[in-house]
Each structure stands twice: as structure tokens, then as C-alpha cells.
Amino acid sequence: MAKNIEVTLTLNSKDFNSKLGKARGSLQNFGSTGKVATGTVIGLAARLAPLAAGFIAVKSALDGVSSSLRVSSQFEDVQVTLTNIIGSAEGGAAALRVITEAAEELPFAFEELSGAAPALATVSDNIGELEDNIKLAADIAANFGIPFEVAAGQLQRSFSAGAGAADVFREKGVLAAAGFEAGVKVSIDETIEKIREFGESIEGSAQTLNTTFTGATSQAGDALTLFQKAVGDAFRPEATAFLNTLVTRFRENKEEIMAFAKAIGTNALEG
């Protein structure tokens, strides 16, 4: 199996590099066609053909690794979001590591954890507390049959606005199980303390769910996600740099490109 994966990656890499090389060549040709007449549709077509070829070539290159690039890009986007919330690139990277490791350990997909983690980060004083809050939300979700994203959102509401703001926790019996009484006002600090104490009593609920088919499916999915991320990480920097170059070329020649598009539309209408 390992050999097959290695061969597949080698072939994908060669194909990607080959097609990206063709795209680069097209852009270079585009730069050398500046003296082509541009007053007619034919002239514009000749001028813009290399750029169009570049778009086609890069799309072909990206199609082969699209799923891996999408996963890699998702991780990158999550890290940027966490960096903005936490206030430092180091903190964002550390938070992403926490989420990734939690996804490997818990019966919830990386997508679920990464979608909810930013909300939990807003009520976590440090990376260690973020990890604790992720595990607490996971145990509550597993114990009461609540989607992880919902449990995390309710936890964030409880910790920032008090138990009264956590409607789903009330409806699902989480607040009652944690010892909250209807109509009794509790401060935010008391709310945090009571929910954390309750969390200790149900600690391990998420791990227990790992033994089920649902948990096994989630673990397998996360393993595939991490594999795709590793593949995408290898391609993403070069693909990103090339796409930025392609966009720059488009913007530099936008007037000609728009004129060409208009000419095609006009000729089509006139038959």
C-alpha cells in the first residue's frame, strides 16, 4: 500500500509540474506578443491566446489535485482565522495544532472542530484552556447527543453571557444536569465553574463514542483529511504563487480582455 501511494504521489507531482510548466510558458508567450495588432477580433484573439492557454493549463493542473488543495487551503484559512482571534501567528499555529490533534482523538471530524473552535477561542485565555474547552464541548455533545458545533456554540454563549443564553443546553437538559435551577440567576463566573465541574463528571464521554461505528468512521475520515492536507501542502505554495501571477496579468490587460469579450458577444449577435 505504501508503495502504491508513493507511486501515485510521484505521478501526480509530475503531472502537476508538467501542466504548470505549460501554463508558465503560455504567460511568457503572452508577454512577447505585445506587438500583435489589437484593433480586430483576430488581433485581440492572437494577443490574448497565450493568456487563455495559461488559464486552461493551470485549471488542468489544479483539477488533478483539487481535493488535496481544498483541504490544505481549509487548514490555512482556519489558521488565519485563529491568528486574527488570538492575535499572533504563533498562537494561531498552536491553536490549529490543538484542533488537529483533537480531531485525531475525538469522534468528530476536523471540519466540525475547526468550524467551532474560533468561537471557543474567544472564551479561552490560553491554548491550554482552548484544548480543555474543546474536550468539554465534545463530552457534552457525546453525552447529550448534540452536534459538536452546537455544543461548542452553547458553551461559548454560557461562558460569555451566562447560562441563560444557552437555549439548547436548557432544552437538552444540560443545564439541569449541571445543577442550574430555572429562574435562579447565576453570574458568568459561577456558570463557568458549575459547567466545568459538571464536565468533570462526564469526562470521557466523547472517547467512549470512539468505540462505535460513528466514531470509527470519523477517525478514518480524519486520517484521510490529514493525508490530503499533506499532499495539498506540497502543491499549494507554488499553485498560489502562479495564480497570483495569473491574476496580475489579467488586471494588467483587463481593458484588452474586456474589449475582446465584448467583440465576441457583438459578433455572435450579428451572426
Side-chain angles (χ1 to χ4, degrees):
M1 176 64 76
K3 185 65 176 178
N4 290 338
I5 292 175
E6 181 181 346
V7 171
T8 299
L9 288 178
T10 300
L11 293 175
N12 283 345
S13 178
K14 288 182 178 179
D15 184 60
F16 177 81
N17 290 334
S18 173
K19 290 175 179 177
L20 204 58
K22 290 180 181 179
R24 286 199 190 92
S26 296
L27 284 190
Q28 290 175 352
N29 291 335
F30 177 68
S32 66
T33 56
K35 295 182 179 180
V36 175
T38 58
T40 64
V41 172
I42 295 178
L44 284 170
R47 163 71 172 144
L48 300 176
L51 184 62
F55 274 107
I56 294 172
V58 76
K59 181 182 185 301
S60 179
L62 295 179
D63 281 346
V65 291
S66 60
S67 61
S68 295
L69 282 172
R70 184 168 57 253
V71 172
S72 176
S73 177
Q74 181 186 10
F75 273 78
E76 183 182 35
D77 292 345
V78 171
Q79 182 169 335
V80 170
T81 299
L82 292 169
T83 294
N84 291 336
I85 292 174
I86 295 172
S88 72
E90 295 78 7
L96 181 60
R97 282 195 298 273
V98 166
I99 296 169
T100 303
E101 291 170 1
E104 292 184 90
E105 297 174 1
L106 299 172
F108 301 105
F110 171 80
E111 290 79 3
E112 296 177 86
L113 270 65
S114 63
L120 291 177
T122 64
V123 292
S124 302
D125 291 334
N126 51 59
I127 297 301
E129 196 166 287
L130 173 61
E131 182 176 9
D132 291 340
N133 287 336
I134 288 175
K135 291 179 179 179
L136 176 56
D139 283 334
I140 292 175
N143 200 69
F144 290 90
I146 304 172
F148 178 83
E149 305 99 312
V150 175
Q154 291 291 292
L155 197 63
Q156 187 270 340
R157 286 190 172 200
S158 300
F159 285 8
S160 61
D167 295 338
V168 176
F169 273 4
R170 183 176 63 253
E171 294 168 2
K172 293 292 186 177
V174 178
L175 296 182
F180 292 92
E181 298 179 16
V184 178
K185 291 186 177 181
V186 181
S187 70
I188 293 177
D189 288 340
E190 289 175 316
T191 296
I192 295 174
E193 183 179 356
K194 286 176 73 69
I195 291 180
R196 288 202 183 284
E197 287 178 355
F198 175 65
E200 293 176 2
S201 71
I202 61 170
E203 186 175 355
S205 294
Q207 289 292 346
T208 301
L209 194 59
N210 261 342
T211 62
T212 67
F213 178 76
T214 297
T217 301
S218 173
Q219 295 291 294
D222 287 328
L224 176 60
T225 294
L226 291 177
F227 174 76
Q228 289 180 308
K229 175 185 180 297
V231 174
D233 284 350
F235 292 113
R236 178 169 48 80
E238 190 170 3
T240 300
F242 184 81
L243 288 174
N244 287 333
T245 300
L246 198 60
V247 170
T248 298
R249 292 287 185 274
F250 175 84
R251 290 173 177 170
E252 290 173 348
N253 298 273
K254 184 176 180 180
E255 186 175 343
E256 286 182 278
I257 294 172
M258 293 299 101
F260 180 52
K262 182 177 180 180
I264 291 177
T266 300
N267 287 342
L269 287 173
E270 294 176 352

